[in-house]
Every structure is written in C-alpha cells, then in structure tokens.
C-alpha cells in the first residue's frame, strides 16, 4: 500500500487552516453559542484516533473527509438563524399577487434589502405563475410539507442517478449547497434533478432553464452530442407551457417579467451580497467575471459524453449572474470526477461561509481537465482513498449510462 506523501499531509494542514480561518467568528448557535472551530477540531481528532485504533494507520484522505463533513454540518446549523422556507415563501407570495391581479415582478429600483425575506424579487417567467397561484390557494403547512418532501426526493433521486449509494447520499445532503436548498425551499434542487437525469432525459436540460435561465447552458450538451430529438422535445415542452398558460397570464406578464429582470440587474449593486449572492461579479469587475465565464464555457464544450455534461454544470455555476449556495449542486458531477483527495478538498472549500473561495473548488475541477493526477483513474486501486470516495469502485458519475441512453 502506498504511503501518504508529505504533500498530502501539507494539503490537509492547508485545508485545516482555511477552515479554522473561515470559521473563526462562527458560533453554534449564532451569535453567542459554542465556537465552531473547537468543535471541528475535537470531532476530527476523535475520528482520526478511532481510525488509528481500528486500522493502525491514518490516511490524509480520512482527515480531509472528516474535516469537510463536520465543517458542512456545522455550517448547516447556522442556517437556522435565517428564515426557513424563505424561497418557497417568495413563490407563494408571487402566486397570491398574481391571483389578486397585483404586480408580481419588480417595477422599480431596490436600494435596500426588504425586511421580509419572502418579499425578495420573483424572477421566474410567466408560465410558472399559475402553478405558484395554485400553491398559494392550499394550506401553508400542507404546501410546505409537500414541497420539502418533493425537494428531498428530487435530491436523493438525482444523487442516485449520479451513482451514489444511499449512505453517500445522506452524507452529500449535508453539503451546504443541498442543505441550503432544502432549508430555503429553492427550486434549484429540482433543476439539479433534471441535470442529473440529463443523459436519459435530455429534454429536461432545456426545461430546467424555465426555472434558472443559466441552467439552459447545459442544454448545449445536446447540441454537442447531436441529440436533436431531445432538443425538439425540450423546445416543444417550453413552447407548450407558454401557450397553455397564456390565457391565464396574458401577454402583459411577459414584458413585465423582462422589465423585472432588468430592474433586478440594476438593483444588484445596491444589495450585492444578497442579489449577487456568490456570483463572480460580487467579487470581480464584470469584465473579468465575463471573461472567466466565457473561458470556462469554451473549455467545457471541449468535453465529450458524460464528462462534457459534467463540465457544462461547472460552466453554469461560473456563468450565473445571481448565485447562491444551492446553485453549486449542478457542479457535483464534475466534482465527483476528482480523485478522493481533490474531491474532499473541494467539498471542504465549500463547507464554510467563504465567498470567492468557493470558486477554488471549481478551479480544482478545471485544473483536473488538464492534470490527470487530479482525476479518478480507470485503474482504480483499492484502499482508503478509493473507499472514501462517494463513487468508490467507479470511475465517474452516471455509471449506469449505457452506450445509447434514451435521447428524449
């Protein structure tokens, strides 16, 4: 068995230092609870000690995985300080306004964050309004329970489609992008499901753009793979939804939606941390952010097959004009292509509040497109590193995709 290298242990030390720095001011619960750094240190130490007692040795990947998972759970605990089901509340409020004939979309500049999180702008296109209106008619408790159950089922289904076992599904649900998406009730979890099902139901890659316009970037994989039937079905679904809902929404909602997007874009500099979220433009000049998105998109198009689809998930994140933690879920397939040490480093980078450092995880992925040492090998060697990878025994995501999966 290959001995751990000094470089691997230096990586563990660097990741540990990063987590300690990012978590230095965090408490559980906030703001006056127990500091998270000592909790993280004690739990990881106990995991390391238990591993040594059980196996007589300690691999760097064990410590990395423990740090990433524990840090994720601690960060998840901080979500409870925010409004639960906030995004679901936005959807329901938009449905109510639509039913009452009131404005749904932004019609002016926002210069301060609304006191009520459910009053954040509704950005989804008019075909979604009748469904939101229907939900707003139902008892709130019933809607919340059903919506969250649907999101949880969607997340689990997507993870299973990527090839994860049930145990690893539970672990990945604690990863902040999934945990936050579930906590606020964001539809991005369903977009992740459509993305994960892409090799089988390609049309879903286009339908996902109905909820998140940047999600349609993944639809270009269908062009790259010449899946014309899936493209046609996806476009028919989108056009069909627009036509079927038109008698309910009317034509006026469409220009109102476009105007709302424009007002949202103008408002982003006034409430950047909330309206930009984690988007690159929050941290970099827009020209630099645009160049980065174009470069990653161009590199993603060089990929073929399943790897190409995974790459476009990364391009979707980098190109998002407004991005929150749950938007990173579509990057998971590309992360799963990394070898265990690189994978858990990327998960650790996205297991704390951070900010621009979250893109460090994507930088590792892009680097792996050119550096085979960062990617999982076709010659998998049994050992701690492979066993601590969510796709243990498999080379990459979507292992069950046949040579000619369904192209609908």
């Amino acid at each position: 068995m290959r001995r751990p290298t000094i470089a691997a242990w230096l990586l563990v030390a660097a990741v540990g230092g990063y987590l300690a720095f990012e978590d230095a001011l965090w408490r559980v619960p906030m703001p006056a609870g127990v500091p998270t750094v000592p909790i993280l240190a004690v739990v990881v130490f106990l995991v390391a000690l238990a591993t040594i007692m059980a196996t007589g040795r300690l691999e760097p990947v064990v410590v990395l995985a423990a740090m990433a998972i524990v840090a994720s759970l601690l960060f998840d605990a901080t979500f409870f300080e925010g409004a639960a089901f906030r995004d679901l509340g936005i959807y329901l409020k938009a449905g109510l306004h639509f039913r009452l004939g009131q404005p749904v979309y932004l019609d002016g500049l926002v210069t301060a964050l609304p006191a009520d999180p459910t009053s954040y702008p509704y950005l989804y296109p008019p075909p979604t309004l009748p469904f939101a209106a229907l939900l707003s008619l139902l008892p709130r408790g019933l809607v919340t329970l059903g919506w969250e159950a649907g999101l949880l089922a969607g997340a689990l289904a997507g993870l299973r489609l990527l090839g994860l076992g049930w145990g690893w599904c539970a672990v990945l649900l604690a990863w902040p992008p999934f945990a936050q998406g579930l906590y606020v009730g964001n539809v991005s979890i369903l977009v992740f499901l459509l993305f994960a099902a892409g090799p089988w139901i390609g049309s879903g890659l286009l339908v996902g753009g109905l909820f998140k316009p940047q999600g349609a970037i993944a639809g270009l994989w269908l062009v790259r793979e010449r899946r014309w039937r899936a493209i046609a079905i996806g476009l028919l679904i989108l056009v069909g939804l627009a036509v079927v809902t038109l008698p309910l929404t009317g034509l006026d909602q469409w220009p109102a939606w476009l105007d709302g997007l424009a007002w949202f874009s103008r408002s982003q500099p006034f409430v950047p941390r909330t309206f930009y979220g984690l988007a690159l433009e929050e941290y970099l000049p827009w020209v630099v952010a645009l160049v980065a998105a174009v470069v990653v998109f161009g590199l993603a198009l060089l990929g073929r097959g399943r790897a190409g689809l995974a790459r476009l998930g990364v391009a979707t994140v980098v190109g998002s004009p407004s991005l929150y933690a749950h938007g990173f879920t579509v990057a998971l397939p590309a992360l799963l292509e990394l070898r265990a040490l690189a994978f858990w480093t990327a998960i650790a980078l996205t297991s704390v509040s951070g900010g621009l450092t979250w893109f460090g995880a994507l930088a590792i992925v892009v680097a792996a497109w050119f550096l085979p040492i960062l990617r999982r090998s076709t010659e998998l060697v049994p050992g701690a590193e492979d066993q601590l990878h969510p796709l243990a025994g498999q080379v990459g995501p979507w292992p069950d995709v046949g040579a000619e999966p369904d192209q609908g």
Side-chain angles (χ1 to χ4, degrees), residues 27-170:
R27 304 287 188 271
V28 179
M30 288 289 284
V34 180
T36 57
V37 173
I39 298 175
L40 175 64
V42 169
V43 174
V44 172
F45 172 77
L46 292 176
V47 170
L49 182 62
T51 302
I52 294 174
M53 293 177 64
T55 66
R57 59 185 293 117
L58 181 64
E59 299 283 346
V61 68
V62 174
V63 182
L64 266 178
M67 288 194 298
I69 294 171
V70 176
S72 292
L73 290 169
L74 290 172
F75 187 37
D76 296 346
T78 67
F79 293 160
F80 296 112
E81 301 300 316
F85 318 124
R86 178 198 67 199
D87 291 358
L88 175 59
I90 296 173
Y91 309 153
L92 296 178
K93 185 169 287 188
L96 175 62
H97 290 327
F98 176 64
R99 282 198 296 112
L100 298 178
Q102 299 171 347
V104 175
Y105 299 111
L106 273 183
D107 55 5
L109 193 67
V110 179
T111 59
L113 192 63
D116 180 3
T118 63
S119 295
Y120 291 177
Y122 184 80
L123 303 176
Y124 305 102
T128 63
L129 289 176
F131 180 68
L134 177 62
L135 289 180
S136 71
L137 285 170
L138 302 175
R140 178 63 181 267
L142 180 63
V143 171
T144 301
L145 181 61
W147 184 260
E148 287 299 310
L151 292 185
L152 179 59
L156 288 172
L159 291 170
R160 292 287 290 167
L161 287 173
L162 293 180
L164 274 67
W166 288 110
W168 283 116
C169 285

Side-chain angles (χ1 to χ4, degrees), residues 24 34 75 96 98 103 157 173 211 244 260 268 354 357 373 383 398:
V34 180
F75 187 37
L96 175 62
F98 176 64
L173 285 179
F211 306 103
V244 168
Q268 283 181 299
T357 53
I373 193 173
W398 295 298

Side-chain angles (χ1 to χ4, degrees), residues 266-293:
R266 296 182 193 124
S267 300
Q268 283 181 299
F270 293 95
V271 280
R273 187 58 179 170
T274 300
F275 282 8
Y276 279 127
L278 296 170
L280 273 179
E281 202 169 338
E282 157 73 358
Y283 310 100
L284 305 173
W286 71 268
V287 174
V288 178
L290 177 61
V291 170

Side-chain angles (χ1 to χ4, degrees), residues 7-400:
W9 283 113
L10 289 175
L11 174 62
V12 171
V15 171
Y18 164 78
L19 294 177
F21 176 79
E22 292 291 346
D23 275 351
L25 300 179
W26 288 87
R27 304 287 188 271
V28 179
M30 288 289 284
V34 180
T36 57
V37 173
I39 298 175
L40 175 64
V42 169
V43 174
V44 172
F45 172 77
L46 292 176
V47 170
L49 182 62
T51 302
I52 294 174
M53 293 177 64
T55 66
R57 59 185 293 117
L58 181 64
E59 299 283 346
V61 68
V62 174
V63 182
L64 266 178
M67 288 194 298
I69 294 171
V70 176
S72 292
L73 290 169
L74 290 172
F75 187 37
D76 296 346
T78 67
F79 293 160
F80 296 112
E81 301 300 316
F85 318 124
R86 178 198 67 199
D87 291 358
L88 175 59
I90 296 173
Y91 309 153
L92 296 178
K93 185 169 287 188
L96 175 62
H97 290 327
F98 176 64
R99 282 198 296 112
L100 298 178
Q102 299 171 347
V104 175
Y105 299 111
L106 273 183
D107 55 5
L109 193 67
V110 179
T111 59
L113 192 63
D116 180 3
T118 63
S119 295
Y120 291 177
Y122 184 80
L123 303 176
Y124 305 102
T128 63
L129 289 176
F131 180 68
L134 177 62
L135 289 180
S136 71
L137 285 170
L138 302 175
R140 178 63 181 267
L142 180 63
V143 171
T144 301
L145 181 61
W147 184 260
E148 287 299 310
L151 292 185
L152 179 59
L156 288 172
L159 291 170
R160 292 287 290 167
L161 287 173
L162 293 180
L164 274 67
W166 288 110
W168 283 116
C169 285
V171 171
L172 264 296
L173 285 179
W175 186 40
F178 283 108
Q180 186 195 73
L182 291 169
Y183 185 71
V184 300
N186 194 275
V187 75
S188 62
I189 299 296
L190 299 182
V191 174
F192 163 74
L193 173 59
L194 292 173
F195 184 81
W200 294 275
I201 310 175
S203 55
L205 298 174
L206 294 178
V207 174
L210 180 68
F211 306 103
K212 305 285 184 181
Q214 65 269 22
I217 291 175
L220 293 173
W221 180 73
L222 302 175
V223 179
R224 182 72 175 81
E225 296 295 306
R226 299 183 179 182
R227 298 196 176 193
W228 312 120
R229 178 178 169 222
I231 293 173
I233 293 175
L235 293 176
L236 283 174
I237 291 173
L238 292 175
V239 172
L241 287 172
V243 171
V244 168
T245 57
L246 189 59
L248 299 173
T249 64
L251 290 172
D252 292 344
Q253 292 291 351
W254 285 93
W257 171 57
L258 295 175
D259 287 343
L261 293 179
W263 281 117
F264 180 79
S265 179
R266 296 182 193 124
S267 300
Q268 283 181 299
F270 293 95
V271 280
R273 187 58 179 170
T274 300
F275 282 8
Y276 279 127
L278 296 170
L280 273 179
E281 202 169 338
E282 157 73 358
Y283 310 100
L284 305 173
W286 71 268
V287 174
V288 178
L290 177 61
V291 170
V294 171
V295 169
V296 173
F297 175 69
L299 294 175
L301 288 179
L302 297 177
R304 300 206 52 139
R306 291 170 292 176
L309 179 56
R311 288 188 179 195
L312 283 171
V314 175
T316 298
V317 177
V318 177
S320 295
S322 181
L323 176 68
Y324 305 95
H326 41 71
F328 275 75
T329 53
V330 293
L332 181 60
L335 293 175
L336 289 170
E337 292 183 329
L338 299 171
R339 60 178 292 193
L341 278 170
F343 173 79
W344 288 114
T345 299
I347 295 297
L349 290 175
T350 53
S351 68
V352 291
S353 179
L356 184 60
T357 53
W358 276 46
F359 286 90
L362 303 187
I364 295 174
V365 171
V366 174
W369 297 346
F370 303 96
L371 300 174
I373 193 173
L374 297 175
R375 300 196 301 267
R376 288 177 64 70
S377 171
T378 54
E379 298 178 358
L380 298 174
V381 180
E385 182 170 353
D386 184 57
Q387 291 304 311
L388 280 177
H389 193 287
L391 293 179
Q394 303 165 14
V395 175
W398 295 298
D400 296 329

